[in-house]
Each structure stands twice: as structure tokens, then as C-alpha cells.
Amino acid sequence: MRLFDTAYLKLTAWYVAIIMIISLLFSTWVYNQTREELQFGLNRAAQLGPFFDPGGGAWRSVVDDRLEDSRHRLLIRLVGFNAVVLAVGAAGSYWLARRTMQPIADALDAQRRFTADASHELRTPLAAMKTEIEVGLRDKKLSKDEAMALLHSNLEEVDRLGGLAESLLALTRVDVAIELTPVVLAEVTDAVVKRLRPLAEAKRIAVKTHLEPATVQGDAVALDKIIGILLDNAIKYSPQATKIVLRTYEKDGHGYVEVQDHGIGIAADGLPRIFDRFYRADTSRSAGYVSGYGLGLSIAQTLAANLDGTITVDSALGEGSTFTLSLAAA
Ligand code: ADP
């Protein structure tokens, strides 16, 4: 990525500049300090010189030579030291720059993938609508019934697009910090069940609840959304006339909400990916049940993470799934 290559180099240059300024200031200080010490030594020697060498200035010239030698050696060592600092500093700075920028590069990469997936999802219903409309327009003998069927089909696609837009909007809103307050899980769960019961009844699915007292650190609105997504999925992916059970309970300092269905279940190879954005397990089979975008669980998981909670899943293909939300007890 060119953008990041330039950024790595710029950041490295800044780090190296800071290191070199410190190193050069330090070297100058060492050089001046040592020179003063040597000067001091020389002055002492010059004072004592005539005592040992009453004959003349030979002593002084030896001391001067030694002093010049020492200064020269010191300068070479300091230059060497700074060269090593520059080399090691540049390598270290580049490594550090890469480490600093990596999370940003990863986030940008994820954003790019997300945009690509989202546009793909948007294009599919649009392409379907376009084809249907074009075929309808070309048909000179289009009857009123056929026109109505076309409009109905288009309306379905428009609904799909509306749902997708809503989910995408929800995804952008969930990444925010939430202030945690005590929430009674049984109350939120009960409200969600009441709201979604008509959906279950339409499929003659019995929704049972075992709500034991459990109060967690959370947020009522976010919890309502999470439990809503889990129950909605349980209804969507269950055949007619099955049973769904919701449980709330507290154990070892945690509060739990369990949503258990006896639906189609999820294959083992799909399980690790069901929380990924836009992932839909075995689309052909799922498609037989409902149309979705693979965004619900991703939203639920982000919301749960905002509440410092987790969602785990236990599922067997053809037998059913149990999703468990866990949060710190209040
Ligand atoms: P969507 O339901 O819109 O496809 P989700 O993110 O909610 O998106 O779910 C991702 C996938 O996980 C679904 O497509 C489905 O294949 C699978 N899944 C989720 N919940 C269940 C469930 N209760 N039973 C079986 N499969 C499920």
C-alpha cells in the first residue's frame, strides 16, 4: 500500500531525528565535559612540570601532544558511537513505525473489505430489479396482472434494500462506548419475547421462558437489540411447530441469557465464521428459510463487546443451536 509505505518512512524519519538530536546533544556534552577534565589535568601538569623537568618545556609539549591525541580519539569514538546509534536507531524506528501503523492499516483494510462486501450486497437486488424492469418494458403486450407481479417483485427487492441499509446504519452506530448500568436480564428478555412472539406464532413455534433473577452491568437498549437478534434468528432458522427456550440465570459472577432452538443448526466448518460480517452459513439451505445479509450476529457481537460481554454458540447441524450471552453480574 503506497500510502502506508510513505507513512512508515515519514514516521521512521521523525523517530530517527528525535533519537539523533538526543544522541548528538549527549555526545557534545560528553566531549565538552571530557575536554574540560583534560584541560584541568593539563593545567595541573603544567604547574607541576617545572618541578620534575626543571630543564625546560619538554614536559609541557608531551602533555600537549597527549591532550591533542586524547581529544582526537574521543572525537573518533563519539562519531563512531553516533553512526551506530543512527544505524540501530533507523532499524528500530522502522520496526516501531510499522508496529504503530499496523492497527491503522488493518482497520483500513477491514473498512475496504466491508465497503466491497456492502456494495456487492447492494448490487445484487439492484441488478435483479433492473433486469425485471427492462424485460417488462420490452414486452409490448404486458398485461395488468404481469405488471402487478413485476411491481410486487420489485417491492420485495426494495424491502431487501431497505433492510440492508438499516443494518448497515446499525453497524456504524454500534461501535460506540456505552456507559454500563445495572440491568435486570429477565425484564429485557421478557420484553423481547413479547415483541417477537407474533413472528414465532406465524410459524407455530412455541417460545418458552425460564427467567431466573440475574442483574448484569449493561445497557437495556443494547441488550434488547442483542437478545432480539438472537431470538429473531432462532425463529428464522427453525422449522414450523418447533420449540424455542430462553433462559436467564446468574452463575460465578456472571449473568447469562441463553436462546435455544431446535432449528436447522450450523455445520461445524461454518461455526467460526457466523459472527463475520456478511457471512451466511450454507446459503442455499439458509435461503430456503429466509433472506438475510449475514449482519445480525456481527451487530450482536459488537454490541456485546461494547458491554464487555461475549456471545458463544453451541450448535449441531439438523438438531438446533444454543446462543449464550454472558455479561459481568452487577
Ligand atoms: P442473517 O440471519 O441475516 O443471515 P446473521 O449474522 O444473523 O445474519 O447470521 C449469520 C448466519 O448464521 C445465518 O445466515 C445463518 O446461516 C446462521 N445462523 C444464525 N443464527 C442461527 C440459528 N439460530 N440457527 C441456525 N443458523 C443460524
Side-chain angles (χ1 to χ4, degrees):
M1 236 185 284
R2 277 187 62 87
L3 173 76
F4 277 96
D5 284 344
T6 330
Y8 291 145
L9 292 180
K10 270 192 192 156
L11 206 57
T12 306
W14 275 108
Y15 287 159
V16 171
I18 292 167
I19 292 171
M20 287 320 293
I21 287 170
I22 295 170
S23 176
L24 287 171
L25 283 175
F26 174 70
S27 303
T28 314
W29 179 77
V30 167
Y31 181 74
N32 285 336
Q33 218 43 30
T34 315
R35 209 183 56 177
E36 269 172 33
E37 289 292 322
L38 286 171
Q39 197 73 53
F40 180 72
L42 168 72
N43 288 344
R44 288 285 302 269
Q47 280 162 9
L48 292 172
F51 176 75
F52 294 113
D53 181 20
W59 173 261
R60 172 139 207 138
S61 105
V62 169
V63 172
D64 272 352
D65 284 353
R66 290 297 297 268
L67 179 67
E68 204 42 49
D69 258 8
S70 299
R71 270 192 204 155
H72 191 64
R73 271 206 307 276
L74 179 65
L75 210 59
I76 290 175
R77 278 185 194 156
L78 284 175
V79 169
F81 167 75
N82 275 286
V84 172
V85 169
L86 180 65
V88 175
S93 298
Y94 186 70
W95 178 79
L96 206 66
R98 285 203 83 102
R99 266 191 69 130
T100 314
M101 303 287 289
Q102 201 54 48
I104 306 170
D106 288 348
L108 206 71
D109 204 34
Q111 191 74 36
R112 212 167 269 161
R113 256 182 290 129
F114 175 70
T115 314
D117 287 344
S119 351
H120 177 79
E121 292 291 328
L122 284 168
R123 264 208 325 249
T124 315
L126 282 175
M129 278 168 71
K130 189 170 184 294
T131 315
E132 279 178 351
I133 295 171
E134 278 171 353
V135 170
L137 284 176
R138 249 184 269 130
D139 188 351
K140 295 274 182 287
K141 290 181 246 125
L142 189 74
S143 69
K144 194 178 167 217
D145 284 352
E146 282 167 334
M148 289 296 279
L150 191 146
L151 284 176
H152 274 300
S153 165
N154 274 350
L155 192 62
E156 262 172 40
E157 298 297 351
V158 170
D159 281 344
R160 264 181 72 84
L161 281 170
L164 178 58
E166 243 165 61
S167 301
L168 289 174
L169 212 59
L171 261 180
T172 62
R173 289 204 190 114
V174 289
D175 269 333
V176 290
I178 295 176
E179 201 181 320
L180 304 185
T181 49
V183 181
V184 181
L185 284 180
E187 283 175 12
V188 185
T189 309
D190 198 41
V192 175
V193 170
K194 282 205 177 95
R195 195 171 67 239
L196 296 187
R197 204 179 276 286
L199 279 182
E201 277 166 1
K203 289 176 84 175
R204 289 185 293 116
I205 293 172
V207 181
K208 304 253 176 259
T209 51
H210 297 288
L211 308 179
E212 288 174 21
T215 307
V216 292
Q217 282 295 351
D219 174 84
V221 177
L223 281 168
D224 183 285
K225 275 193 194 142
I226 300 171
I227 302 166
I229 290 169
L230 297 181
L231 180 56
D232 185 46
N233 275 352
I235 299 169
K236 280 196 309 194
Y237 300 109
S238 286
Q240 303 250 343
T242 46
K243 192 170 101 175
I244 294 173
V245 184
L246 284 96
R247 292 185 186 84
T248 62
Y249 55 92
E250 201 172 317
K251 200 174 129 192
D252 302 331
H254 282 84
Y256 297 88
V257 181
E258 220 175 77
V259 182
Q260 182 189 21
D261 67 56
H262 296 87
I264 58 174
I266 303 156
D269 60 340
L271 265 186
R273 300 194 52 204
I274 54 167
F275 294 99
D276 290 354
R277 286 173 183 181
F278 296 109
Y279 179 78
R280 305 203 70 215
D282 196 348
T283 328
S284 54
R285 191 155 16 84
S286 302
Y289 275 83
V290 273
S291 59
Y293 310 99
L295 290 177
L297 285 179
S298 154
I299 293 172
Q301 199 186 41
T302 313
L303 282 170
N306 285 346
L307 305 177
D308 297 329
T310 54
I311 301 175
T312 52
V313 54
D314 185 18
S315 185
L317 199 60
E319 287 177 27
S321 316
T322 304
F323 284 81
T324 309
L325 167 70
S326 148
L327 294 152

